[in-house]
Amino acid sequence: MTFKKNILCIGAGYVGGPTMAMIAYKCPQYRVTVVDVNPDRIAAWNSDDIPIYEPGLDELVAATRGRNLFFSTDIETGIRENDIIFVSVNTPTKAFGLGAGMAADLQHWEKTARQILEYSQSSKIVIEKSTLPVKTALAMERILNCRENGICFDVLSNPEFLAEGSAIRDLELPDRILIGSRETERGLKARQSLAEIYANWVSEEKIITSNIWSSELSKLVSNAFLAQRISSINAISALCEKAEADVTEVARAVGMDSRIGSKFLNASIGFGGSCFKKDILNLVYLCRHYGLEEVADYWDSVVRINDYQQERFIRNMLAAMFNTLAGKRICLWGFAFKSNTGDTRESPAIFVARRLIEERAEIVVSDPKALKNARLDLAGLGSKVDYVEEAARAAEGCHAIALLTEWDLYRHLDFQAIFDSMSKPAFIFDGRNILDHRRCFDIGFNVYPVGKPPLTHF
Ligand code: UDX
């Protein structure tokens, strides 16, 4: 069978995998291949146990794999046989050298660009899909256009805005698709070619275009704005706890102003995930690079409040539990950075677990999807960590429960039975404000929500 377009994605992670599955699903006339350097990951994509937990993804893969969606480790053939190449490799924060802890580590990106250059035998459209620092496309172009053999590369920026846990819905019904390109004749043609792919299921007015730098920057700024809302409400949650106000009531009243809106105003233990912190630090680095110290400090404070919120959670636990956690057994409900994912990257739970161990507590980690990652994150913390998948069983014999991920299942447990099985006085620290606090209090728990007065029996 001949396909109308042959599309490659380099990088089979949280963005590449689901995005390509959606394209393959919506466009049976295109052949979509996903390649990755990691053979285990590719083997998993080709098995019944795909490497990412994402609601609805199994079904998409089942419908398309082997039909027009293929997973392979053969990057060379992939590059040779496809004209449209998405690059979705990871760009973690740099851990070494200049910009360590702030700038993006672009080594995988550069390696990928060099592979594209080496194996290409015809012109290609190369699409940045990873979140990248502004002007990465320029670096990409410089690498890709350094040969003069008639093969041309058009670099586009097409940031992905999907959120984990709702990736399939976000891909199917995106708020917008953004395509940045050079404003040259070639650039505009490449832009059109990519827009055609999305037009198979996204309405025209949602496909917007811009220059390439605006597109790259928009992704960083979107994430910075979202994270800023969380840090804003979390900062207010600290004030609410002192002022005996209720942050949920404040957020509701504030969010009903249509200019502000109600989303992303849930006070919590802090944001996690692979994007927010990394992208803000990137933005801060960029501002400092241009000498914009005040702007850099402004965005940096979003990350600082997030760190503060996590440390505050531990301090509240300490204060509530008579200033010592040593020898106490504390159950963590949830380890993923949010519900409906097994992803634990930058999860506040990692910080909480480490701090509790520092305070010499014993911890029991529980999560319906993230225990495998939790074990990796906490490797080396020794025998003071137990892993128990089932929430009620994890709490048995514990002095306190710290709810860290907003999994729906935690709302529907038998709290009387859980209370009966715990050491007394029993505490609940609800880092997501999802439990029925009054009911837990009536059962006998001492309840500490975020940004609300605690309900205690003392
Ligand atoms: C985010 C962006 O939403 C997405 O557009 C971008 O493409 C990638 O980064 P993601 O990190 O998957 O997506 O999850 P998101 O739903 O944004 O949540 C991020 C963190 O903020 C989670 O830890 C979440 O629990 C927390 N959060 C979110 C809050 O604490 N309060 C809120 O009100 C909302």
Side-chain angles (χ1 to χ4, degrees):
M1 172 164 180
T2 52
F3 290 94
K4 270 193 162 164
K5 286 187 200 283
N6 291 303
I7 299 170
L8 179 73
C9 177
I10 303 178
Y14 285 94
V15 170
T19 310
M20 293 306 120
M22 182 58 75
I23 293 179
Y25 182 73
K26 294 289 184 183
C27 316
Q29 72 278 28
Y30 303 157
R31 184 180 205 276
V32 182
T33 307
V34 184
V35 292
D36 199 289
V37 283
N38 182 340
D40 294 339
R41 184 177 291 179
I42 290 298
W45 277 109
N46 279 321
S47 75
D48 289 337
D49 188 17
I50 59 174
I52 294 175
Y53 171 70
E54 190 61 60
L57 180 59
D58 276 344
E59 290 81 350
L60 282 194
V61 172
T64 52
R65 196 173 55 194
R67 179 189 80 179
N68 66 331
L69 177 66
F70 303 91
F71 294 93
S72 157
T73 50
D74 189 351
I75 298 180
E76 180 173 345
T77 306
I79 291 172
R80 204 167 291 137
E81 290 183 347
N82 292 278
D83 309 322
I84 299 176
I85 303 178
F86 287 88
V87 182
S88 184
V89 300
N90 58 339
T91 50
T93 304
K94 219 175 152 193
F96 53 87
L98 189 66
M102 300 285 288
D105 183 346
L106 294 176
Q107 56 175 318
H108 304 294
W109 245 88
E110 177 159 347
K111 207 173 111 222
T112 304
R114 290 187 191 283
Q115 283 176 323
I116 294 174
L117 182 66
E118 187 181 343
Y119 302 136
S120 289
Q121 294 171 348
S122 57
S123 296
K124 315 274 178 200
I125 296 174
V126 179
I127 303 153
E128 289 183 344
K129 200 70 180 152
S130 320
T131 306
L132 288 158
V134 177
K135 302 262 159 155
T136 305
L138 187 64
M140 189 85 175
E141 277 179 351
R142 289 205 180 123
I143 295 173
L144 288 175
N145 283 331
C146 64
R147 272 187 201 168
E148 285 174 8
N149 54 1
I151 298 178
C152 300
F153 298 94
D154 293 296
V155 180
L156 301 177
S157 159
N158 173 220
E160 184 49 71
F161 295 105
L162 66 79
E164 285 174 35
S166 58
I168 301 307
R169 197 203 141 274
D170 297 343
L171 285 165
E172 187 154 29
L173 300 167
D175 286 343
R176 77 300 208 187
I177 296 289
L178 175 58
I179 303 176
S181 73
R182 288 270 183 195
E183 278 153 329
T184 58
E185 198 183 324
R186 286 191 61 90
L188 295 177
K189 209 168 138 223
R191 181 196 270 191
Q192 189 48 36
S193 182
L194 179 56
E196 257 171 37
I197 297 177
Y198 288 108
N200 280 286
W201 77 95
V202 180
S203 61
E204 223 170 85
E205 70 278 4
K206 289 199 167 165
I207 303 178
I208 59 170
T209 56
S210 72
N211 83 35
I212 205 159
W213 325 127
S214 304
S215 169
E216 288 182 333
L217 188 58
S218 300
K219 169 69 193 203
L220 294 187
V221 174
S222 293
N223 277 346
F225 271 55
L226 289 168
Q228 179 211 42
R229 285 176 70 92
I230 301 169
S231 279
S232 296
I233 200 69
N234 281 344
I236 297 303
S237 77
L239 180 59
C240 286
E241 284 167 29
K242 298 285 182 210
E244 290 177 45
D246 179 327
V247 75
T248 309
E249 292 175 351
V250 174
R252 188 181 56 197
V254 170
M256 279 178 76
D257 184 325
S258 60
R259 294 167 302 176
I260 296 172
S262 60
K263 291 184 181 153
F264 267 65
L265 288 182
N266 293 323
S268 67
I269 175 136
F271 59 76
S274 69
C275 289
F276 282 178
K277 186 173 177 191
K278 182 187 77 168
D279 288 354
I280 296 175
L281 292 179
N282 231 311
L283 189 63
V284 170
Y285 188 72
L286 187 72
C287 294
R288 296 220 193 280
H289 170 80
Y290 287 117
L292 303 172
E293 294 301 327
E294 288 78 0
V295 186
D297 290 346
Y298 175 73
W299 288 108
D300 195 38
S301 70
V302 172
V303 176
R304 278 191 278 119
I305 287 289
N306 201 50
D307 295 342
Y308 164 77
Q309 188 74 350
Q310 295 172 44
E311 178 61 24
R312 227 167 58 71
F313 188 77
I314 298 290
R315 290 192 184 211
N316 281 347
M317 283 181 92
L318 263 168
M321 296 177 75
F322 323 113
N323 293 314
T324 177
L325 299 174
K328 292 181 179 161
R329 202 166 160 81
I330 296 173
C331 170
L332 307 189
W333 275 358
F335 205 84
F337 81 96
K338 63 188 278 195
S339 61
N340 294 320
T341 178
D343 193 352
T344 60
R345 286 177 293 173
E346 299 291 340
S347 177
I350 301 174
F351 174 84
V352 169
R354 288 183 181 277
R355 282 290 284 111
L356 291 176
I357 298 281
E358 260 172 45
E359 297 294 339
R360 310 237 164 121
E362 289 172 22
I363 59 174
V364 188
V365 179
S366 176
D367 190 290
K369 293 286 173 195
L371 282 196
K372 205 166 136 197
N373 282 330
R375 280 177 202 274
L376 296 173
D377 295 327
L378 302 180
L381 283 190
S383 55
K384 298 239 183 259
V385 190
D386 285 328
Y387 300 88
V388 178
E389 190 167 316
E390 211 242 304
R393 221 162 46 73
E396 269 170 32
C398 288
H399 296 80
I401 294 166
L403 189 152
L404 304 181
T405 312
E406 71 282 22
W407 287 104
D408 202 37
L409 73 96
Y410 299 139
R411 299 174 204 262
H412 310 294
L413 297 168
D414 180 348
F415 282 89
Q416 183 65 60
I418 291 169
F419 178 75
D420 293 343
S421 78
M422 290 177 65
S423 283
K424 308 295 177 317
F427 294 81
I428 289 187
F429 299 89
D430 184 356
R432 297 288 186 166
N433 286 344
I434 61 165
L435 300 179
D436 183 339
H437 299 141
R438 173 55 57 179
R439 199 176 113 64
C440 291
F441 171 74
D442 288 344
I443 287 171
F445 283 106
N446 297 296
V447 185
Y448 291 79
V450 175
K452 297 170 193 260
L455 299 170
T456 68
H457 296 282
F458 305 119

